[in-house]
Amino acid sequence: MEIFGDAKTTGLEHLTLEQMLEDNLPEPILKEVKRILYGREVETLDLPKFEKGVNCEIKGYKMGGAIVEQLRPPRIVRVAIIQNTIVLPTTDPIRDQREAIHKKLAKYVEHAASCGANIICLQEGWPMPFAFCTREKYPWCEFAEDAITGPTTELMSGLARKHNMVIVSPILERDQTNGDTLWNTAVVIGTDGRVIGKHRKNHIPRKNDFNESTYYMEGNLGHAVFDTPFGKIAINTCYGRHHPLNWLMFALNGAEIVFNPSATTKTLSEPMWGIEARNAAIANSYYTCAINRVGTEVFPNAFTSGNGQPAHHDFGHFYGSSYIAAPDGTRTPGLSRSEDGVLIAEIDLNLCRQIKDFWGFRMTSRLDMYAEKLAKVVQPDFEPQIIKQ
Amino acid sequence: MEIFGDAKTTGLEHLTLEQMLEDNLPEPILKEVKRILYGREVETLDLPKFEKGVNCEIKGYKMGGAIVEQLRPPRIVRVAIIQNTIVLPTTDPIRDQREAIHKKLAKYVEHAASCGANIICLQEGWPMPFAFCTREKYPWCEFAEDAITGPTTELMSGLARKHNMVIVSPILERDQTNGDTLWNTAVVIGTDGRVIGKHRKNHIPRKNDFNESTYYMEGNLGHAVFDTPFGKIAINTCYGRHHPLNWLMFALNGAEIVFNPSATTKTLSEPMWGIEARNAAIANSYYTCAINRVGTEVFPNAFTSGNGQPAHHDFGHFYGSSYIAAPDGTRTPGLSRSEDGVLIAEIDLNLCRQIKDFWGFRMTSRLDMYAEKLAKVVQPDFEPQIIKQ
C-alpha cells in the first residue's frame, strides 16, 4: 500500500510547485492562486549568490505581517534552513562520507552567515545518508557520534562562535554515558559555540522502510524550548510533525520558532508536506520551519519495504521543498525538489504574540477540559463518548 | 489587522482554485501540481444534474485508496455536504427568511438523496444569515429554535426518514429547559427521522466581527461520536477547526467522519481553509468534511469590525470552497467560491483503520506522556521546560 502512487518518477522533479505555477499562470490568476495557496505575499530578500561552481540554491524572503508595537521594539531575526544531498557513494569509508558532507555544509553555513542568518537548522541526520531503511546495523551505526564531543558538533560549534549564530544540528547520537545507546538528536549550539542542550526525536516511525525503532527509541528529553538571543526555539523532528500534541507541547513551553528537520520521500508524503508544519504554525501561533532531505540515496545491499514490491537499493526520492510558515499561516515558496538549497526568512518574533491576540486560539483552547479528558482516555477502563442511533 | 489583505474583491470569486489551474496548466504539469496539492487522483462520480432553473452546482468523487480486506467487507458510504447562500434580504420577516432557505435546501437534500447520499451535513447556522457580526440581539435571536421540536429539525427529520439518510443540521439552538439559553448546535438526525443527539460548538471565537460569545458560550456536550448505520460521525463546528485537541478528542472517541460546518470569509481565512480540516484528517486517520457558507450577506445597520475600518453592512465574502479529505490526506476539489453547491464523496470507511495500520500515528502517539504533561500545564504553578543559553 503505497500512499501516493508508485515510485515512478514523473521527470518533473527539477521544477518546484511555484515554478510550475509561475511559468504557466497569467496575472492576475497567478496572484489569486498564490494568495489562496500561500497567504500574504512575501517580499524577496536580495541575497548574495553562491560562488561559481557551488551547486546550491539560495532563496530569501521577508515574511512580514507584524505591526510595530508601542511598548516592544520589533524583534527581527533571520532564520536559515538548509537541505542537502549526500556527497560520496554510501559504499565509501564512513569517515570520508562524513567529511565530504561536513566540507560542503560548512560552506553553506558560512554563506548563510554572510546573508545575515542568526539561526540555522540543518536537515535530520544531515552528516550521513538516511540508512535506516536498510535495517542493517553496520556500517551505518558508525555514523553515530557524541552530541557534545563528536566531530559534527565540533565543526558546528566553531561556525556558531565565529558568526555569532545559533545552530541546530540534527545528528545520530551515540550516548556513551548511557549504555552506548543511539538517539535521533538535534544538538542546539549557542552563539558562544557551546551546546545549549539537545532534543531527542519524540515519535519514532514504525512503517515500511521507516523502521527507525530498529536503531533508537522515543526521545526521553521532553519538549524543551531553548531560549536563545534570537528567540525561543524548539525542534519537532521528522515523524513528530504528524503528532499535533508534539507541536502543542512546544507551544505550551513558549516556543516562537519550531524546526522540523525531516527525511521523507515523494510517494510517501509529498502531498502532506505543505499541510502539516503549516497547520502547526497556525494552530500554535509560532513560526515553523519544515526541512526535508533532498536527492536519492543508493545503498549497496538491496532491501524490501514491506509493500509487496521487489527488493531495491534506494528509499525513494527525497523531495526537498523545505519552507517556512508564519503564525498567520503565510508561507514562503519551497526550496528545490531535487537540489541543495539554503532558505532564509526574515521574521519578526513579535508576530507570534500579535497573532495570539488577534485570533485568540490559545485563550479559547480549553486546556483544562482536555487535560481532564486525556487523563481519562489513557485509563484502561476508558469508555468513549458514543451515542448510538 | 486584517490577516490576508484588505476586503477588496479580486473579481475572481467565480473561479475555484482548481478551475484556475485546469484552465491554464498544460499536462503533465497539471497532473503533477494536482498530485502535490491534493494527493491521489480521485475519480469523478456521474451524478444527475439539478433540474433547470436551480442554481446549484453538483460535484461528486470516489475517494478511493482503500484495499479490499479478507475479513471485513468494504463499508462504502456516500457523504454529501451542502453550502448555500441565504435567499431573502435580511430585512425581510424572520419567518419568511427561514422558510425561503428551508424550501431551497429541501430541494438540495432531495437531490443529494437522488445521488445516493447516505449522510448529509449542512453549513453552520444554515437556516439563517450569519448575523453574529452585528452584535445585535434582535431580530436575529429569533432565528433560534428548539433542537428537537423546532421547524428546522421537523423539516430535516421528514427528509431523513423519507430517504433513509442521516442528516447533520447545524442551527442556532434555543434551550427552553435551561433558561432559554442559546447554543451553536448541530442536530444529528437518524435514518428513522429521530434526533440521535446534538453537538454544541466547543470553541467560540472572540475576535473582530466574530464576537459570537455575545450570543452563546462554549459547548457543554463534550465530543460525542454518533454511531449511525453509515459510520461513526462527529461534528467540529467552525472555529473548533483551529483547535487540534478538539479534532483529537473526536478521534479518541472513535470518529470515522468529522464534519466541520463553518462560516468564514475570504480576507480572514481563505489561505488556511485548505490546511486545517485536511491536516486533521491526516493526524487523526479519519475523513473530514469542511463546509463553508457562501456569498455576501448584507445587514440593515452598519457595524464596525474592530479593525480600524469604517462601519459597513456586510461581514465579507463567504468563499464556499467546501471539500472532503481522506485519512491519507487526499482531498476532493472544492465547491464554488461564490455559489450554492452539493458535494458528494463515495468513501470506504475501512480506509480509516487501514491508514492507522499503515502510518501508525495512533500507536505512536504517546498519549500517556501528553496526559501527564497537560495535567501539569494547567496547574497554576506550571513551569515551562525552557533551557537558557
Side-chain angles (χ1 to χ4, degrees):
Chain A
M1 191 180 188
E2 275 284 353
I3 291 280
F4 295 115
D6 59 31
K8 269 187 308 219
T9 168
T10 53
L12 292 168
E13 287 82 6
H14 60 292
L15 295 171
T16 62
L17 176 64
E18 300 84 50
Q19 283 172 317
M20 291 189 269
L21 300 178
E22 284 161 11
D23 290 352
N24 294 286
L25 296 181
E27 290 285 3
I29 297 278
L30 175 63
K31 200 172 168 178
E32 180 73 341
V33 164
K34 280 173 123 181
R35 187 187 67 81
I36 295 175
L37 288 177
Y38 282 10
R40 283 183 294 100
E41 215 170 323
V42 293
E43 265 177 61
T44 305
L45 289 175
D46 191 25
L47 299 175
K49 295 272 166 261
F50 276 96
E51 58 185 300
K52 241 187 174 161
V54 178
N55 195 17
C56 182
E57 178 184 34
I58 174 93
K59 278 184 175 168
Y61 303 95
K62 195 172 163 177
M63 296 292 285
I67 58 168
V68 176
E69 302 178 22
Q70 294 190 32
L71 301 183
R72 275 198 313 183
R75 291 185 299 143
I76 307 293
V77 165
R78 286 201 177 183
V79 180
I81 57 179
I82 304 182
Q83 65 180 34
N84 67 277
T85 57
I86 56 173
V87 179
L88 298 176
T90 58
T91 45
D92 275 20
I94 293 291
R95 196 185 309 271
D96 295 355
Q97 287 187 55
R98 179 161 63 202
E99 281 177 4
I101 302 177
H102 275 183
K103 200 173 150 195
K104 177 166 86 163
L105 270 284
K107 217 173 261 180
Y108 296 174
V109 170
E110 294 274 4
H111 193 81
S114 77
C115 295
N118 303 114
I119 310 178
I120 298 185
C121 182
L122 295 96
Q123 74 196 19
E124 185 182 20
W126 70 270
M128 61 180 287
F130 210 72
F132 311 120
C133 50
T134 65
R135 273 94 78 191
E136 300 162 351
K137 294 290 173 115
Y138 278 79
W140 318 117
C141 286
E142 290 203 62
F143 277 108
E145 46 182 302
D146 190 90
I148 311 290
T149 61
T152 298
T153 300
E154 196 188 339
L155 172 69
M156 288 294 139
S157 289
L159 290 166
R161 195 170 40 240
K162 179 175 169 195
H163 296 292
N164 192 43
M165 290 186 309
V166 170
I167 299 183
V168 180
S169 170
I171 62 167
L172 182 61
E173 179 194 4
R174 170 79 73 187
D175 184 355
Q176 299 177 88
T177 54
N178 285 288
D180 287 326
T181 45
L182 300 184
W183 298 97
N184 186 317
T185 299
V187 182
V188 182
I189 301 164
T191 51
D192 55 3
R194 286 189 209 190
V195 172
I196 306 177
K198 56 193 180 186
H199 175 76
R200 287 173 174 163
K201 185 171 182 172
N202 271 328
H203 299 267
I204 308 297
R206 293 164 160 81
K207 65 174 298 304
N208 299 44
D209 278 337
F210 270 115
N211 287 330
E212 290 173 38
S213 69
T214 305
Y215 300 88
Y216 41 79
M217 296 293 284
E218 279 75 9
N220 59 354
L221 298 180
H223 296 79
V225 165
F226 303 94
D227 191 357
T228 80
F230 309 116
K232 293 194 183 120
I233 67 172
I235 303 100
N236 177 342
T237 307
C238 197
Y239 186 77
R241 80 178 168 280
H242 307 302
H243 290 281
L245 283 167
N246 202 31
W247 291 109
L248 175 68
M249 271 314 301
F250 297 117
L252 297 179
N253 285 326
E256 294 169 309
I257 309 169
V258 180
F259 297 97
N260 176 231
S262 298
T264 183
T265 59
K266 198 178 129 179
T267 54
L268 188 66
S269 66
E270 195 167 10
M272 293 153 63
W273 181 248
I275 302 292
E276 293 168 293
R278 196 165 157 217
N279 186 76
I282 297 167
N284 298 292
S285 306
Y286 52 43
Y287 292 92
T288 59
C289 305
I291 310 160
N292 190 18
R293 188 170 274 260
V294 68
T296 303
E297 301 171 356
V298 179
F299 295 95
N301 302 318
F303 54 92
T304 54
S305 298
N307 61 356
Q309 300 299 306
H312 46 111
H313 290 267
D314 73 79
F315 182 39
H317 179 70
F318 296 105
Y319 53 82
S321 309
S322 305
Y323 69 94
I324 296 181
D328 67 357
T330 296
R331 60 157 284 183
T332 68
L335 284 175
S336 164
R337 292 166 70 213
S338 56
E339 296 190 348
D340 290 7
V342 176
L343 188 144
I344 301 206
E346 184 176 300
I347 64 176
D348 185 345
L349 295 170
N350 283 358
L351 185 62
C352 300
R353 200 173 81 181
Q354 289 172 14
I355 290 294
K356 280 186 195 170
D357 287 339
F358 182 75
W359 271 112
F361 296 155
R362 177 66 186 275
M363 175 178 84
T364 57
S365 64
R366 306 186 76 181
L367 278 186
D368 287 283
M369 175 179 72
Y370 290 107
E372 213 174 285
K373 285 187 183 246
L374 270 192
K376 284 182 189 157
V377 167
V378 297
Q379 296 308 315
D381 61 351
F382 166 61
E383 281 189 26
Q385 186 187 359
I386 295 179
I387 301 177
K388 288 205 177 174
Q389 179 180 334
Chain B
M1 191 179 188
E2 274 285 349
I3 292 281
F4 296 115
D6 59 31
K8 269 188 306 221
T9 168
T10 53
L12 291 167
E13 288 81 6
H14 61 292
L15 295 172
T16 63
L17 176 65
E18 299 83 49
Q19 282 171 318
M20 291 189 268
L21 300 177
E22 284 162 10
D23 290 353
N24 294 287
L25 297 180
E27 291 284 2
I29 297 277
L30 175 64
K31 202 173 166 175
E32 182 72 341
V33 165
K34 281 172 122 181
R35 186 187 68 80
I36 295 174
L37 288 177
Y38 282 11
R40 284 183 295 100
E41 215 171 323
V42 294
E43 265 176 61
T44 305
L45 288 174
D46 191 23
L47 298 175
K49 295 271 168 266
F50 275 96
E51 58 184 301
K52 242 187 171 159
V54 178
N55 194 18
C56 183
E57 178 185 35
I58 174 94
K59 279 184 176 168
Y61 303 95
K62 197 173 162 174
M63 296 292 286
I67 58 167
V68 176
E69 302 177 23
Q70 293 189 34
L71 301 183
R72 274 198 315 184
R75 292 186 296 144
I76 308 293
V77 165
R78 286 201 176 183
V79 179
I81 57 180
I82 304 181
Q83 65 181 35
N84 64 278
T85 57
I86 56 173
V87 179
L88 298 176
T90 58
T91 43
D92 276 20
I94 294 291
R95 196 186 308 273
D96 295 355
Q97 287 187 54
R98 178 160 64 202
E99 281 178 4
I101 303 177
H102 275 183
K103 203 174 149 195
K104 177 166 87 161
L105 269 285
K107 219 174 258 180
Y108 295 174
V109 171
E110 293 274 5
H111 193 81
S114 77
C115 295
N118 303 115
I119 310 179
I120 298 183
C121 182
L122 295 97
Q123 74 196 18
E124 185 183 20
W126 70 270
M128 61 181 287
F130 209 72
F132 309 121
C133 49
T134 65
R135 274 94 78 191
E136 301 162 350
K137 294 291 173 113
Y138 277 78
W140 318 116
C141 286
E142 289 204 61
F143 277 108
E145 45 181 306
D146 190 273
I148 312 292
T149 61
T152 299
T153 300
E154 195 188 340
L155 172 70
M156 288 294 139
S157 289
L159 290 165
R161 194 169 43 238
K162 179 175 169 195
H163 296 292
N164 192 42
M165 292 186 309
V166 170
I167 299 182
V168 180
S169 170
I171 60 166
L172 181 62
E173 180 194 3
R174 170 79 72 185
D175 184 355
Q176 299 177 87
T177 55
N178 285 288
D180 286 325
T181 45
L182 300 184
W183 298 96
N184 186 316
T185 300
V187 182
V188 183
I189 302 164
T191 50
D192 55 5
R194 287 190 209 189
V195 172
I196 304 177
K198 56 192 180 185
H199 175 76
R200 286 173 175 164
K201 185 172 183 171
N202 271 328
H203 298 267
I204 308 297
R206 290 165 163 79
K207 66 174 295 305
N208 299 46
D209 277 336
F210 271 117
N211 287 329
E212 290 173 38
S213 69
T214 305
Y215 300 89
Y216 41 79
M217 296 293 285
E218 279 75 8
N220 59 354
L221 298 179
H223 296 79
V225 165
F226 302 94
D227 191 356
T228 79
F230 308 115
K232 292 193 184 121
I233 67 171
I235 303 101
N236 177 341
T237 306
C238 196
Y239 186 76
R241 80 179 168 280
H242 308 302
H243 290 281
L245 284 167
N246 201 31
W247 291 108
L248 175 68
M249 272 312 302
F250 297 117
L252 298 178
N253 284 327
E256 294 169 308
I257 308 170
V258 180
F259 297 97
N260 177 231
S262 297
T264 183
T265 58
K266 198 178 129 179
T267 53
L268 188 67
S269 66
E270 194 166 11
M272 294 154 62
W273 181 248
I275 302 292
E276 294 168 292
R278 196 165 158 217
N279 186 77
I282 296 167
N284 298 291
S285 305
Y286 53 44
Y287 293 91
T288 59
C289 305
I291 311 159
N292 190 19
R293 187 170 277 258
V294 68
T296 303
E297 300 172 358
V298 179
F299 294 96
N301 302 319
F303 54 91
T304 54
S305 297
N307 60 357
Q309 299 301 306
H312 46 109
H313 289 267
D314 72 80
F315 182 38
H317 179 71
F318 296 105
Y319 53 81
S321 308
S322 305
Y323 69 94
I324 296 180
D328 67 358
T330 296
R331 60 156 284 183
T332 67
L335 285 175
S336 165
R337 291 167 70 215
S338 56
E339 294 190 347
D340 290 5
V342 176
L343 187 145
I344 301 205
E346 185 176 299
I347 64 176
D348 185 344
L349 296 171
N350 283 357
L351 185 62
C352 299
R353 199 171 82 182
Q354 289 172 15
I355 290 294
K356 280 185 194 170
D357 288 341
F358 182 76
W359 272 111
F361 295 155
R362 177 65 188 273
M363 175 178 85
T364 58
S365 64
R366 307 185 74 183
L367 278 186
D368 286 283
M369 176 179 71
Y370 290 107
E372 215 173 284
K373 285 186 183 246
L374 271 192
K376 284 181 191 157
V377 168
V378 298
Q379 296 308 314
D381 61 350
F382 167 60
E383 280 188 27
Q385 186 187 358
I386 295 180
I387 301 178
K388 287 204 176 176
Q389 179 180 332

